Amino acid sequence: MDVSLIKAGAARPRRAPEVVVDERLTELLDLAAPLTVIRGPRGFGKTTLLQTWLAAGGPAHPVVQLALTRAANAPEVFWSTLLAVLVDAGAVPAPDRPAAEADGRPGPDARHEVLTGLGRRAEPLTVVVDDYHQAGRGEDAADIDEDLVELVRQNDQLFLVVATRGARVIETTGALSVDITIISPRELRLRPQHVRTLAGRLGVPLAEREAERLADGLDGWPAAVRDVLVRSRGGPVNLSLADDYIAAVVRDLRDEHLRDFVLRTAVPEEFDAELVRRVVPGEEALVALRAVRSGGMVREEVRGERRVYAYPPLVRQALLRLLDETRPEVRREVHRALVDIHERSGDHLGVLRHAVQGGAWPVAERVIETEWHHLITTDPATLVGAAQRMPRELVDRHPRLRVARDELTGALRPRPDRPPAPAWTTGDIPGITLELGLDRMGSPIDPTVVVLLQWGGAAVLAGDESAALYAFGRARARAQASGTDPLGVRLATAGLALAHAIYADADLAATWLADPALADAADAADYPLLESWVALAAATVAVDRLQPDAAALVAAIPERERRDEVWAFGVFVGSAHAALSRDPAEAVRWAEKLRAARHYLPGDRLVEDLLLAAEVEVLLAAGLDAAARRSARRLAPSAISLPTHARLSLAAGDYAQAAGRAQGALDHPGLTVRSVMECHLVLAAARHALGERAGAHAAFADAVRVADASGQRRPFLILPYSTFRALAGGEDRVVQMWPPALRPGNDDAVGPRGGLAAVLTRREAETLRALARHSGAVAVAGELGLSVNTVKSHLRSVYHKLGVTTRSEALARAAEIDAAGDGVPSGVGPGTGDAPGAGDGARPGNGGRSGNGVASGDGGASGDGVAPARDVPAAVAQSSTGQGAPRSAAR
């Protein structure tokens, strides 16, 4: 096989021994397509690929190879160089040189000689042209491309392989004329496994994760990866070592406009054609975009109708450092252009970032002033970065910037007990921020304390409990330190009480409400918002702790003129108290109030989900399960909705699903204390119903620990009182956590007053009533709209709790319980779970057990495993099909 010299009079370039070439690429070259184009930026391994392929044998016929220099920009130089190499290799005959040439007349036409000589060749030949991007400029380059494509098309013995840095006509025209193989930058990139192989050959230890970071950061740019590894020999891999290589590539760009394009478009994290027009001056911006894109220097992603581009992370960092070193004024200019773009799209975070980096301080001040509440809740780190980069004298005279610089970093420090920042956005915070403005205060107050209070209020309504407590705590400490700011101390104390109340630390909230600073809060005529916060916190605590004065405290919540998120939380507290009545008519009234409240607020906010969850809770408490399920369909998964869906499954009698949902919800980092306790109690109730005694007691013990630590009592009402007593195990301290006033049989009790409701869940009682009208589980399932298996599960639990084994015994026992009225008649109650067969959900009956685990009685079983109807006590036979009708047997 004959192989020519690369350049006339020059040796073939030495191939580095420490290289890695993907075998799939040499296999593509082995396909021997009439035309093969290898395209990629400098350092993407094009020459290395060619040398590896040829060194491994290459094609089975002669090969002529040359590499072009910049002189080949002139077409005549390109053709004459190619002709000389072909002649030297014996691939074409030497042209005749007439005597006229010696007299200075034109010599042979090199282009004509190449095209004629190769066109007449009857034996296979591969021509390899490296650095093909040097072949001609502009229209001359297109002419060369077309000539070569036509040559390959006409002679099936000729094979052409070219390696170029950018897209050329030969690639597009060739694809229309002949079979073509294109090896693009995507194929040339090194993958993580190749990076590790290369590191091994260079003697650089490299873990798998480091190889992935290096490959991703440089997008597999072979020469850049190798440069980093070579420079890292003898020490740890330093990813910033790629800077020098990237800088050399940029300096090597011959087109100044292209160099300017690359540096300017590195400033935004990503860009599209429209953004390019705004940040790159001149009419050639899109031409440069096509060149960079075709050269493989940027990543590309299609989003709808837009093509979005971005430099690999380490490449972008290197470009930005080069820009700072060589053209800092250009970077500021681009950032200011980006400010305008982000302002038009309403991206306040983007405006602030680019205003700060572009030195546009008035714009940065304006954004912080107008969008403080959103910035501090959605991306406080950006505020910190802005305050640290802005001039010190500017920050010192701006209270919000001072808080960002001096206070925010403490709230951002990671702590193991602090969940990640929530995804909630704030709604009508601007109005609340205005209420906390200096001009609304009737007493003097430190401006920095005001900013901290505004931050605390925004954080509460964004669902960031830790930030809210930190902000209110810092405000109180600062106000106390001054000794002259009693209003600041009172507001910060009220904020702490309200935040703890909202996030369900009832005892801590009560402690702050008892603080001496709030002793005169009711008389704080100088600041009405203070009274509203204190009243709201006090009512929330009273409802959660089931205090006797809860009704009076809920009624005392001041009516706010603004229908904002603070007002909406007052509606939430009122609905939570209304749910204690378990009155269907009251439930429907409050469900309507909650729906109306949502219409006043922006969507996708914490309070919206809170109101929806409250609507489900009040409907569930009143036994309106179908309506509750309909409302819950609008609840997307969140820290608020997950416990609610678990409760719905429990109410439906799907105990396995209820336990699974509750356990899954407990893994969510944003649950309030109240929700954590609810999940433990759903687990306890579900496992108790499934006969899993150990699991039920463990979950109940977890709930008791939460109750001890927080003061929460309301979640206990998730359980039927008999289940609560069974799980409490007679421990008086725990039994007292259920207020006597709410126990079944108490004349002053709120809610169900004994009967089956104290023994069975609503769904179990409903199933038992349906069983009084039907002879089997299939018919009961049809009436209730449940699956047959679910009905059988309910009946197993009913038989277990009532201590019976047959249908007739169950109906008789139900009548006895209703007649007793105290919810714990003789033989039924907390000890029922100890009856034989509890682990299976039913005891063996007189006539044996059916295949589904529900005992069949009196010697026979129906086809679905439930005994046929016999005597039907009137107390059980009451129908309760209406959604809003009271269900006395279930109370």
Side-chain angles (χ1 to χ4, degrees):
M1 180 179 67
D2 297 325
V3 181
S4 79
L5 296 177
I6 300 272
K7 299 178 183 174
R12 183 179 301 129
R14 178 177 297 163
R15 183 169 63 92
E18 305 92 353
V19 296
V20 175
V21 174
D22 192 338
E23 292 181 359
R24 292 178 300 175
L25 302 184
T26 57
E27 290 171 359
L28 288 174
L29 290 169
D30 286 336
L31 292 175
L35 175 62
T36 300
V37 177
I38 306 172
R39 171 170 48 82
R42 168 183 164 179
F44 254 64
K46 302 180 296 296
T47 300
T48 299
L49 172 60
L50 289 172
Q51 295 300 328
T52 302
W53 176 55
L54 294 175
H61 54 255
V63 176
V64 174
Q65 181 183 11
L66 75 157
L68 302 178
T69 65
R70 190 172 296 179
N73 288 173
E76 61 274 13
V77 174
F78 166 76
W79 291 112
S80 62
T81 302
L82 179 57
L83 177 61
V85 172
L86 291 169
V87 170
D88 289 346
V92 298
D96 294 333
R97 297 181 180 274
E101 186 177 341
D103 299 333
R105 288 176 291 174
D109 182 351
R111 171 180 173 276
H112 173 75
E113 295 291 338
V114 169
L115 297 179
T116 302
L118 291 178
R120 292 174 179 173
R121 186 175 175 86
E123 296 178 353
L125 176 70
T126 293
V127 178
V128 177
V129 184
D130 201 359
D131 293 325
Y132 184 69
H133 51 277
Q134 304 285 14
R137 300 280 286 175
E139 293 182 2
D140 293 332
D143 290 341
I144 292 172
D145 289 349
E146 290 175 359
D147 283 340
L148 292 179
V149 169
E150 183 64 19
L151 183 62
V152 173
R153 190 181 70 82
Q154 291 181 359
N155 189 346
D156 61 2
Q157 297 301 306
L158 182 63
F159 303 88
L160 179 63
V161 179
V162 300
T164 178
R165 291 184 183 176
R168 291 180 57 119
V169 172
I170 196 171
E171 187 175 319
T172 53
T173 304
L176 299 174
S177 305
V178 295
D179 289 337
I180 183 172
T181 294
I182 299 175
I183 300 177
S184 69
R186 181 178 58 193
E187 286 82 28
L188 291 168
R189 291 183 174 99
L190 293 181
R191 293 168 177 79
Q193 63 267 31
H194 300 138
V195 173
R196 289 197 75 189
T197 301
L198 179 58
R201 293 181 182 177
L202 291 168
V204 178
L206 194 67
E208 183 177 351
R209 188 167 183 179
E210 287 179 304
E212 291 174 353
R213 289 180 59 202
L214 186 55
D216 179 70
L218 292 170
D219 211 17
W221 194 327
V225 170
R226 187 176 187 279
D227 189 65
V228 170
L229 293 174
V230 169
R231 292 169 181 266
S232 299
R233 281 172 169 165
V237 174
N238 184 349
L239 300 182
S240 66
L241 292 175
D243 286 12
D244 291 343
Y245 181 83
I246 303 299
V249 171
V250 173
R251 284 192 292 267
D252 191 49
L253 294 173
R254 294 171 55 194
D255 188 334
E256 173 60 30
H257 186 77
L258 183 57
R259 187 183 302 118
D260 184 61
F261 173 93
V262 169
L263 292 173
R264 285 175 177 269
T265 52
V267 176
E269 293 181 359
E270 60 183 31
F271 56 93
D272 58 9
E274 180 60 31
L275 188 145
V276 165
R277 292 190 186 96
R278 294 177 180 272
V279 302
V280 181
E283 298 179 357
E284 300 298 316
L286 296 185
V287 175
L289 173 60
R290 284 194 293 272
V292 170
R293 174 176 171 250
S294 65
M297 289 188 67
V298 293
R299 296 171 172 174
E300 182 177 343
E301 181 182 345
V302 178
R303 298 179 190 165
E305 298 180 356
R306 295 173 59 230
R307 288 184 180 272
V308 180
Y309 309 94
Y311 293 97
L314 295 179
V315 175
R316 179 170 178 261
Q317 291 175 22
L319 292 173
L320 290 176
R321 281 191 279 265
L322 179 62
L323 186 60
D324 286 338
E325 292 169 4
T326 59
R327 309 179 186 184
E329 72 288 347
V330 170
R331 183 168 183 176
R332 288 192 293 271
E333 177 189 329
V334 174
H335 279 301
R336 287 170 179 163
L338 292 171
V339 165
D340 181 59
I341 293 170
H342 284 279
E343 276 198 310
R344 294 184 183 185
S345 65
D347 179 6
H348 308 301
L349 282 169
V351 171
L352 179 59
R353 281 196 298 267
H354 292 296
V356 169
Q357 294 183 78
W361 310 130
V363 175
E365 280 189 279
R366 172 172 54 79
V367 172
I368 289 173
E369 187 63 34
T370 58
E371 302 298 332
W372 168 261
H373 40 281
H374 291 307
L375 293 171
I376 204 166
T377 53
T378 57
D379 197 345
T382 296
L383 272 178
V384 172
Q388 290 174 343
R389 294 190 62 164
M390 295 175 78
R392 185 175 184 83
E393 60 275 10
L394 176 62
V395 176
D396 286 342
R397 67 171 181 263
H398 197 299
R400 286 181 173 165
L401 285 173
R402 287 202 305 272
V403 167
R405 181 190 64 192
D406 302 333
E407 305 288 353
L408 267 180
T409 49
L412 296 180
R413 284 193 203 100
R415 272 185 11 204
D417 62 332
R418 177 178 293 163
W424 304 104
T425 54
T426 52
D428 189 29
I429 300 296
I432 296 170
T433 303
L434 284 175
E435 286 189 72
L436 282 165
L438 275 171
D439 56 341
R440 302 294 180 94
M441 307 288 183
S443 302
I445 190 170
D446 178 357
T448 301
V449 171
V450 172
V451 173
L452 288 166
L453 291 170
Q454 291 171 341
W455 173 19
V460 166
L461 299 181
D464 194 344
E465 176 188 8
S466 59
L469 296 175
Y470 179 87
F472 285 132
R474 293 297 300 150
R476 178 180 162 92
R478 187 178 180 95
Q480 283 179 320
S482 70
T484 59
D485 193 357
L487 178 57
V489 174
R490 289 202 299 272
L491 282 169
T493 306
L496 287 166
L498 184 58
H500 280 297
I502 288 175
Y503 293 105
D505 285 318
D507 285 350
L508 278 172
T511 300
W512 284 113
L513 287 170
D515 191 277
L518 296 181
D520 57 349
D523 301 324
D526 55 348
Y527 200 57
L529 187 61
L530 178 62
E531 180 186 1
S532 176
W533 283 13
V534 170
L536 194 54
T540 305
V541 169
V543 172
D544 277 341
R545 297 204 301 189
L546 299 178
Q547 295 175 188
D549 59 348
L553 290 171
V554 169
I557 298 175
E559 180 70 21
R560 287 174 60 82
E561 294 181 3
R562 294 179 56 83
R563 293 299 187 254
D564 56 16
E565 289 166 290
V566 173
W567 165 81
F569 191 75
V571 178
F572 165 78
V573 176
S575 71
H577 181 259
L580 301 177
S581 72
R582 309 205 175 201
D583 177 8
E586 186 74 354
V588 170
R589 187 173 74 85
W590 273 94
E592 289 301 326
K593 289 183 69 171
L594 289 162
R595 292 188 195 107
R598 293 203 313 275
H599 292 306
Y600 289 103
L601 304 170
D604 300 323
R605 302 292 189 264
L606 180 150
V607 173
E608 182 188 32
D609 268 21
L610 201 65
L611 295 177
L612 253 175
E615 181 181 328
V616 174
E617 180 183 354
V618 74
L619 291 170
L620 274 179
L624 308 180
D625 296 7
R629 286 194 296 273
R630 285 195 297 271
S631 296
R633 290 173 190 157
R634 298 190 295 273
L635 269 174
S638 71
I640 293 172
S641 66
L642 291 175
T644 301
H645 285 298
R647 292 182 63 178
L648 280 167
S649 297
L650 182 67
D654 193 337
Y655 303 124
Q657 184 184 71
R661 285 180 166 178
Q663 191 64 63
L666 286 169
D667 294 331
H668 197 289
L671 292 185
T672 65
V673 175
R674 184 186 302 111
S675 294
V676 168
M677 187 172 167
E678 287 177 357
C679 289
H680 286 311
L681 289 168
V682 169
L683 270 174
R687 288 172 176 166
H688 184 265
L690 292 169
E692 300 172 5
R693 296 179 56 78
H697 280 283
F700 185 76
D702 288 335
V704 170
R705 279 191 289 271
V706 175
D708 277 332
S710 66
Q712 284 288 320
R713 298 293 183 270
R714 183 161 60 95
F716 279 125
L717 301 182
I718 291 173
L719 303 175
Y721 184 63
S722 63
T723 303
F724 171 81
R725 288 295 302 268
L727 294 173
E731 187 178 347
D732 190 61
R733 180 187 66 83
V734 177
V735 170
Q736 293 306 313
M737 289 183 174
W738 191 300
L742 296 179
R743 294 174 188 170
N746 189 308
D747 291 340
D748 299 322
V750 179
R753 304 176 185 277
L756 285 176
V759 180
L760 306 179
T761 67
R762 263 197 319 280
R763 183 63 79 184
E764 289 166 352
E766 189 177 51
T767 303
L768 183 58
R769 287 197 303 276
L771 185 64
R773 298 186 292 276
H774 300 284
S775 61
V778 174
V780 171
E783 177 182 325
L784 299 181
L786 303 173
S787 72
V788 175
N789 284 336
T790 298
V791 169
K792 291 177 180 178
S793 176
H794 289 324
L795 291 176
R796 281 195 295 270
S797 182
V798 168
Y799 285 13
H800 166 62
K801 290 181 178 181
L802 297 184
V804 299
T805 59
T806 68
R807 175 179 179 276
S808 57
E809 287 177 2
L811 298 178
R813 192 71 177 123
E816 178 187 345
I817 292 172
D818 271 342
D822 61 358
V824 192
S826 60
V828 179
T832 304
D834 297 324
D840 299 320
R843 296 187 303 176
N846 298 331
R849 183 196 303 273
S850 66
N852 57 35
V854 179
S856 56
D858 300 328
S862 63
D864 53 18
V866 179
R870 294 200 174 205
D871 299 328
V872 183
V876 178
Q878 296 180 40
S879 175
S880 178
T881 56
Q883 184 61 245
R887 298 184 287 186
S888 58
R891 294 276 174 262

